[in-house]
């Protein structure tokens, strides 16, 4: 499966990584949600997620959209095995939207946590920090 340049999938550690740059808007989130859905359909094993938003400089989202996409993910993943989704966020707007997403997915198999420290995210996901810092082209 061909993934966009901002998305990686590490089969060996069952980890999906999203590294947006610049702008995060509805189109960007739709693209990553489609990639997650495609990978979920193509694989039979659950996988964790890591979103590194540290290279984003602008967020053009709204609460209605974040609520809609969070509830969609909650419903579409209902009944599936538990997964962890770590969001590295340093921008205050991104932190607010990520926390809203975490709140709306509580009680579902998608366990979302927001981090401001990459090492803490790596520890929570149970992966070496190097896997969260290396880019696809360096693999």
């Amino acid at each position: 499966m061909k993934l966009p340049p901002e998305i990686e999938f590490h089969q060996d550690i069952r980890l999906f990584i999203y590294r947006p740059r610049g702008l995060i808007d509805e189109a960007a989130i739709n693209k990553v949600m489609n990639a997650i859905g495609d990978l979920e359909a193509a694989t039979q094993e659950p996988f964790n997620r890591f979103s590194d938003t540290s290279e984003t400089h602008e967020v053009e989202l709204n609460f209605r959209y974040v609520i809609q996409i969070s509830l969609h993910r909650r419903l579409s993943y209902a009944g599936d095995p538990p997964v962890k989704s770590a969001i590295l966020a340093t921008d205050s707007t991104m932190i607010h939207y990520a926390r809203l997403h975490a709140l709306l997915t509580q009680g579902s198999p998608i366990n979302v946590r927001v981090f401001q420290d990459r090492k803490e995210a790596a520890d929570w996901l149970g992966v070496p920090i190097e896997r969260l810092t290396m880019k696809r082209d360096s693999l």
Side-chain angles (χ1 to χ4, degrees):
M1 170 183 300
K2 178 106 168 95
L3 295 172
E6 67 273 14
I7 297 174
E8 303 169 19
F9 184 64
H10 299 261
Q11 177 75 30
D12 61 327
I13 58 173
R14 309 291 306 154
L15 184 65
F16 177 97
I17 298 178
Y18 173 52
R19 289 191 176 95
R21 293 178 163 267
L23 172 69
I24 292 184
D25 60 4
E26 290 182 21
I29 299 298
N30 288 340
K31 186 175 6 174
V32 75
M33 290 298 112
N34 287 335
I36 288 174
D38 290 347
L39 276 169
E40 287 171 347
T43 63
Q44 299 302 312
E45 296 178 46
F47 54 88
N48 291 328
R49 295 98 159 109
F50 175 66
S51 298
D52 179 352
T53 67
S54 62
E55 295 294 320
T56 60
H57 305 293
E58 190 174 354
V59 179
E60 287 184 10
L61 298 172
N62 61 59
F63 285 106
R64 187 179 70 111
Y65 175 76
V66 173
I67 291 168
Q68 175 186 342
I69 201 73
S70 297
L71 294 178
H72 169 75
R73 286 301 304 150
R74 182 185 177 108
L75 291 172
S76 67
Y77 200 74
D80 288 343
V83 294
K84 293 179 178 180
S85 181
I87 302 172
L88 180 66
T90 54
D91 174 82
S92 62
T93 302
M94 194 65 231
I95 290 169
H96 289 299
Y97 286 132
R99 287 182 178 160
L100 176 60
H101 178 59
L103 179 68
L104 292 169
T105 55
Q106 276 182 350
S108 79
I110 304 170
N111 184 2
V112 178
R113 286 193 49 193
V114 182
F115 296 89
Q116 293 182 8
D117 180 80
R118 189 180 311 273
K119 173 86 170 92
E120 289 177 15
D123 290 345
W124 185 68
L125 289 168
V127 300
I129 190 169
E130 296 80 20
R131 296 304 286 270
L132 301 187
T133 57
M134 75 172 82
K135 304 287 189 237
R136 172 189 292 171
D137 53 330
S138 64
L139 291 175

